[in-house]
């Protein structure tokens, strides 16, 4: 005696019901310290920047100095202000940061990275604005180490047959 039932679905039809429910995007919440500041660390090359953001008038303080004093080059000042310019918050926040290591260019990149993260901690709605510009991504390029038997990381000594 054969049991006659509906034929089982094969191929893609069988997979339709197996789909998992799409997980919701993570909910980002405001993270502030006791003084009402948002904190984040930014890194670039060998530079590490600790950045605090608080409501204010748009004043930048780097290692106890004004940004005009610390970064003499206009391009570096423009670079650290990019997250504020893109989000339209140039005069709404005071930024205090300490930075060490690397050179001025690496330090400016570290401050920009830390400032972007601190802004998302203060105002989570800014994340979709900053992410497409690449400000939340850590630039992982670092100096390659020197190898033995070489002048630098890849440069060889001058070759002489005799």
């Amino acid at each position: 005696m054969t049991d006659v039932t509906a034929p089982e679905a094969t191929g893609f039809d069988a997979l339709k019901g197996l789909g998992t429910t799409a997980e919701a995007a993570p909910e980002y919440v405001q993270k502030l310290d006791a003084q009402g500041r948002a904190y984040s660390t930014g890194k670039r090359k060998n530079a590490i920047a600790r950045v605090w953001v608080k409501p204010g008038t748009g004043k930048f303080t780097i290692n106890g100095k004004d940004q005009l004093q610390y970064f003499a080059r206009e391009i570096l000042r423009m670079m650290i202000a990019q997250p504020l310019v893109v989000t339209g918050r140039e005069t709404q926040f005071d930024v205090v940061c300490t930075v060490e290591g690397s050179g001025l260019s690496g330090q400016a990149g570290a401050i920009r990275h830390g400032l972007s993260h601190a802004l998302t901690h203060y105002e989570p709605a800014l994340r979709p604005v900053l992410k497409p510009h690449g400000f939340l991504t850590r630039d992982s390029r670092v100096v390659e180490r020197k190898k033995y038997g070489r002048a630098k990381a890849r440069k060889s000594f001058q070759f002489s047959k005799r």
Side-chain angles (χ1 to χ4, degrees):
M1 190 163 156
T2 58
D3 189 0
V4 180
T5 57
E8 289 187 29
T10 58
F12 288 117
D13 296 330
L15 298 175
K16 282 184 182 174
L18 299 176
T20 58
T21 57
E23 292 184 25
E27 190 71 28
Y28 294 102
V29 293
Q30 189 179 43
K31 297 177 190 170
L32 301 178
D33 63 5
Q35 286 95 17
R37 304 175 301 182
Y39 168 78
S40 184
T41 305
K43 295 182 179 182
R44 168 89 165 77
K45 293 186 178 179
N46 284 336
I48 300 171
R50 295 179 293 171
V51 181
W52 289 269
V53 173
K54 62 181 178 180
T57 58
K59 185 177 164 197
F60 249 98
T61 307
I62 303 159
N63 288 352
K65 297 180 182 178
D66 186 49
Q67 68 168 340
L68 294 169
Q69 242 183 325
Y70 197 84
F71 290 120
R73 280 186 258 162
E74 180 63 33
I75 192 77
L76 297 178
R77 289 196 301 268
M78 183 197 78
M79 191 173 163
I80 63 173
Q82 277 179 330
L84 294 171
V85 172
V86 167
T87 56
R89 308 277 195 283
E90 296 98 325
T91 58
Q92 293 182 12
F93 293 109
D94 283 346
V95 179
V96 177
C97 58
T98 58
V99 64
E100 58 188 25
S102 196
L104 287 177
S105 179
Q107 289 183 354
I111 291 171
R112 182 176 77 173
H113 183 234
L115 175 58
S116 302
H117 271 281
L119 284 173
T120 60
H121 291 325
Y122 194 88
E123 211 174 318
L126 296 178
R127 189 175 176 82
V129 179
L130 293 167
K131 189 131 176 81
H133 293 282
F135 296 151
L136 300 176
T137 306
R138 198 261 201 235
D139 189 353
S140 61
R141 296 176 296 171
V142 291
V143 177
E144 190 175 346
R145 78 171 193 87
K146 184 195 175 300
K147 278 72 167 194
Y148 60 89
R150 298 265 174 180
K152 292 177 13 182
R154 298 184 181 210
K155 184 179 178 183
S156 304
F157 296 111
Q158 183 176 353
F159 177 75
S160 173
K161 200 166 190 176
R162 306 185 224 302

